[in-house]
Amino acid sequence: MKPDNSIIIIGGGFAGMAAGIYAQMNGYNTRIFEMHDKPGGLCTSWKRKGYTIDGCIHWLVGSNPASRMHDFWEEVGIAQGLKIINMDEYMRFEDQGGRKLIFYTDLDRLEKHLLEFSPQDAEPIRDFIDGVKMCLPFDNPSLNEPLLKKWKNGLNMGASFLLNGKRWKRWMNTTAEEFAGHFKDPMLAQAFRHIWMPEFSMFFMLFTFAYLHNKNAGYPLGGSMPMSEAMAARYKSLGGTLHYNCRVEKILTDNHQVTGVRLADGNEYLADRVISAGDGHSTLFGMLDGKYGDEQTFKPYEKWPRFPSLLFIGLGVNHTFDNIPHSISGTCHMLKEPVTIGGSVREFLWVHIFNHDKSMAPEGKTTLTVMMHADYDYWKNLSEEKSTYEAAKEAVARAVTGLLEAYYPGISKNVEMTDVATPLTFERYTGNWKGSFEGWLITPENAGTIMKPMPKTIPGLKKFYMCGQWVEPGGGLPTGVMSGRKLTQMICREDGRKFRTVSGNR
Ligand SMILES: Cc1cc2nc3c(=O)[nH]c(=O)nc-3n(C[C@H](O)[C@H](O)[C@H](O)COP(=O)(O)OP(=O)(O)OC[C@H]3O[C@@H](n4cnc5c(N)ncnc54)[C@H](O)[C@@H]3O)c2cc1C
């Protein structure tokens, strides 16, 4: 006998917890099975020798209480008590000749600086700034804002959409690599190419800078883990049950309808509906054995590029870095000569100094992180032999510390903690396919999913749903929450229920 009204959710990341929170608000009985011993999935941090290494949050879209997304952060219990700081710099690039290219968060300052940096590139610079300006109104106001402001914003949005149809399309269809090709200054071109990923649709970058300018993508002091814990607490306060250390191995079906899940320990749990908010590849090809789905379901897994996996290096440094400006994403040092680290050739060293968040390190000390894309197969092969794998991790830490010395003289003698996470670490703790850190890249091929979202159900399998970054190209924390929210709205519609929400303040 199956209990009525029940939903099993696989995965306690932001998408899974959001689905659980909104489903509880709407009268469903939910339980989440999470394979890790903590909530939050990729939104996490870990402690080493008194230092906290934050493995996620740089900027939180919706951090401004005037924005609609902020309402959602309140609903899921994150906004309450959150202290946000807005920084002047998004990130900077520095080359060996001492040139500094700074991506400011304020648009006017950014335009002025870019034009001074490379007057010969005035045309693409102005084109970029105009593109960001086009996105500024696409920041829905909070329901708490005055009615007039909401109407005005709605009109601006509609007008911008109607007037700029062709421009939208052009930006959607332009990759960072293509846009970088318009710059004459090689450093500016490299920056635009790599600020995110060369394959990325420029559209996404425009929106990020629009949110930054609107002070709606600030940094939450305390970092990732407190947000994940707040969301888990909110879910439990609404009556949900979160089971940790429970990996779902199979999704059970009967006559083309889901009936429940089987955990790795062999226990089976039944429910009316199952939502997978975990990795898409293992859901479709592992938990469902590749038996359900059609061309549309499987195509992304064959054709779409993913966010890569990472080597994520944490360093604890007995120093304060007071003279370095606070920055959302840190500094990209452009190396004089390429070096091989962790099996890949590196031209850049991306360093993020957490001097903006004192809670990350003991008094008088600072946590640094260095992020580099990593070759999953290289690390997978190394992991066959534990001692080789560990030695390779140590070599990465040594190489990075050595390189940092050139930019922060004297640093190596103050480094008192190093920690190296590899693609295998990401895979082990979050289950994401080949350790990908954000699911599908938004490229010209799939940018259309912004207007026509990926399906959240699978043809041929009833009462089964998906949410999270594998069905929402571009990923991200706000997307995770909106994904769980929209999915609950869809389930409510199926059941003829009026979707309702309760603010976390009530
Ligand atoms: C270095 C880094 C920086 C980032 N910076 C930002 C940022 O600044 N802003 C931003 O918005 N986003 C950022 N992101 C992206 C963001 O963290 C992710 O897109 C988002 O957390 C994805 O949420 P999700 O719930 O879809 O997936 P996940 O977080 O991957 O959650 C899936 C959950 O499912 C669980 N799971 C998987 N398989 C199973 C199974 N079989 N059984 C049980 N449980 C299972 C996993 O353990 C995990 O908890 C960053 C990510 C990284 C790694």
Side-chain angles (χ1 to χ4, degrees):
M1 260 292 271
K2 283 192 291 180
D4 279 342
N5 219 20
S6 56
I7 305 179
I8 283 177
I9 298 166
I10 304 167
F14 267 43
M17 288 197 287
I21 286 170
Y22 288 109
Q24 288 295 133
M25 286 177 188
N26 284 281
Y28 293 96
N29 301 320
T30 71
R31 56 169 78 205
I32 297 176
F33 290 108
E34 165 55 47
M35 65 181 195
H36 195 14
D37 60 5
K38 293 178 182 59
L42 285 162
C43 186
T44 195
S45 61
W46 52 98
K47 287 200 185 297
R48 297 283 181 272
K49 296 187 182 169
Y51 291 89
T52 302
I53 302 163
D54 200 292
C56 179
I57 192 70
H58 292 66
W59 69 89
L60 186 72
V61 170
S63 60
N64 190 330
S67 110
R68 178 71 180 123
M69 186 65 220
H70 194 271
D71 297 348
F72 302 158
W73 291 129
E74 272 188 3
E75 287 167 0
V76 300
I78 282 186
Q80 296 77 354
L82 203 61
K83 281 212 170 65
I84 297 288
I85 53 169
N86 289 293
M87 294 181 242
D88 292 340
E89 290 190 16
Y90 171 65
M91 80 169 302
R92 57 168 63 200
F93 290 78
E94 294 187 8
D95 75 359
Q96 291 290 325
R99 289 180 89 205
K100 291 182 185 6
L101 170 60
I102 304 169
F103 282 83
Y104 290 106
T105 52
D106 179 87
L107 259 194
D108 298 329
R109 197 171 174 195
L110 174 64
E111 181 175 15
K112 187 166 174 286
H113 173 71
L114 294 182
L115 289 171
E116 281 165 7
F117 186 87
S118 178
Q120 56 177 339
D121 285 313
E123 204 179 307
I125 290 170
R126 295 218 166 92
D127 191 23
F128 174 68
I129 299 287
D130 282 352
V132 180
K133 283 185 180 159
M134 185 177 71
C135 300
L136 289 176
F138 287 82
D139 201 350
N140 282 326
S142 157
L143 293 184
N144 303 321
E145 290 294 295
L147 202 58
L148 197 64
K149 183 174 173 188
K150 285 185 272 186
W151 281 351
K152 220 171 123 192
N153 190 274
L155 282 175
N156 279 344
M157 247 168 31
S160 173
F161 203 69
L162 288 175
L163 293 173
N164 294 312
K166 275 196 182 145
R167 288 172 71 207
W168 285 111
K169 228 175 168 173
R170 173 169 78 87
W171 285 112
M172 271 186 181
N173 290 332
T174 305
T175 62
E177 174 74 53
E178 285 159 355
F179 189 62
H182 294 118
F183 290 93
K184 297 191 181 81
D185 184 291
M187 188 166 168
L188 201 48
Q190 280 290 63
F192 269 93
R193 188 172 291 123
H194 291 289
I195 196 163
W196 278 352
M197 241 75 65
E199 307 95 315
F200 230 63
S201 164
M202 280 299 295
F203 189 71
F204 208 73
M205 192 141 119
L206 300 182
F207 264 98
T208 302
F209 277 92
Y211 289 130
L212 291 170
H213 178 80
N214 285 344
K215 298 208 181 316
N216 193 20
Y219 170 82
L221 287 171
S224 299
M225 206 58 218
M227 292 197 294
S228 295
E229 281 164 352
M231 214 163 153
R234 174 77 171 135
Y235 172 63
K236 287 184 206 158
S237 77
L238 289 163
T241 313
L242 223 168
H243 304 267
Y244 293 114
N245 299 309
C246 288
R247 189 167 68 78
V248 172
E249 199 166 66
K250 288 287 168 217
I251 293 165
L252 306 174
T253 61
D254 181 24
N255 201 16
H256 302 284
Q257 176 160 325
V258 294
T259 54
V261 297
R262 186 188 316 130
L263 303 186
D265 65 10
N267 282 318
E268 294 188 353
Y269 293 84
L270 303 182
D272 286 350
R273 289 180 164 98
V274 172
I275 297 173
S276 175
D279 169 60
H281 190 271
S282 54
T283 299
L284 296 176
F285 300 100
M287 293 177 233
L288 286 170
D289 292 317
K291 282 192 202 148
Y292 298 94
D294 61 7
E295 205 194 325
Q296 201 186 5
T297 321
F298 298 127
K299 185 178 145 198
Y301 298 86
E302 287 155 18
K303 302 230 162 111
W304 290 1
R306 297 180 301 274
F307 277 86
S309 194
L310 297 173
L311 271 176
F312 197 87
I313 301 112
L315 298 110
V317 186
N318 187 6
H319 186 70
T320 52
F321 298 93
D322 291 330
N323 299 329
I324 308 246
H326 294 176
S327 170
I328 292 174
S329 284
T331 300
C332 173
H333 297 284
M334 299 169 128
L335 304 177
K336 192 151 67 186
E337 280 166 9
V339 289
T340 300
I341 301 177
S344 305
V345 178
R346 316 285 172 184
E347 292 175 65
F348 311 105
L349 189 70
W350 303 77
V351 183
H352 198 189
I353 298 178
F354 279 74
N355 54 355
H356 51 278
D357 191 343
K358 300 280 178 221
S359 71
M360 294 287 156
E363 178 87 35
K365 305 181 180 196
T366 314
T367 302
L368 270 62
T369 60
V370 172
M371 221 164 102
M372 26 183 99
H373 297 170
D375 177 351
Y376 173 84
D377 294 329
Y378 172 86
W379 286 95
K380 178 79 183 158
N381 285 338
L382 283 182
S383 71
E384 303 292 322
E385 178 62 54
K386 193 168 186 318
S387 59
T388 319
Y389 176 72
E390 291 301 330
K393 281 176 40 167
E394 277 169 30
V396 167
R398 265 197 313 278
V400 167
T401 313
L403 276 180
L404 283 172
E405 189 63 33
Y407 306 104
Y408 309 93
I411 191 172
S412 46
K413 69 174 188 311
N414 288 320
V415 172
E416 46 186 38
M417 179 281 295
T418 54
D419 177 82
V420 178
T422 76
L424 278 284
T425 320
F426 282 91
E427 186 182 53
R428 190 166 64 248
Y429 286 111
T430 71
N432 279 294
W433 189 27
K434 300 207 169 189
S436 168
F437 77 93
E438 218 167 309
W440 308 116
L441 286 177
I442 295 196
T443 62
E445 198 196 344
N446 64 15
T449 54
I450 292 165
M451 312 298 276
K452 188 172 176 285
M454 283 175 78
K456 309 290 180 285
T457 54
I458 297 183
L461 185 58
K462 286 185 228 149
K463 305 275 184 180
F464 174 74
Y465 311 82
M466 289 173 78
C467 66
Q469 63 181 11
W470 294 98
V471 286
E472 310 281 359
L477 301 171
T479 312
V481 167
M482 286 191 287
S483 185
R485 195 178 192 275
K486 274 186 276 169
L487 179 56
T488 311
Q489 280 174 308
M490 184 178 132
I491 291 174
C492 285
R493 261 197 311 275
E494 280 178 7
D495 289 350
R497 287 184 200 190
K498 190 169 163 12
F499 176 76
R500 59 186 288 274
T501 62
V502 190
S503 158
N505 293 324
R506 273 169 266 150

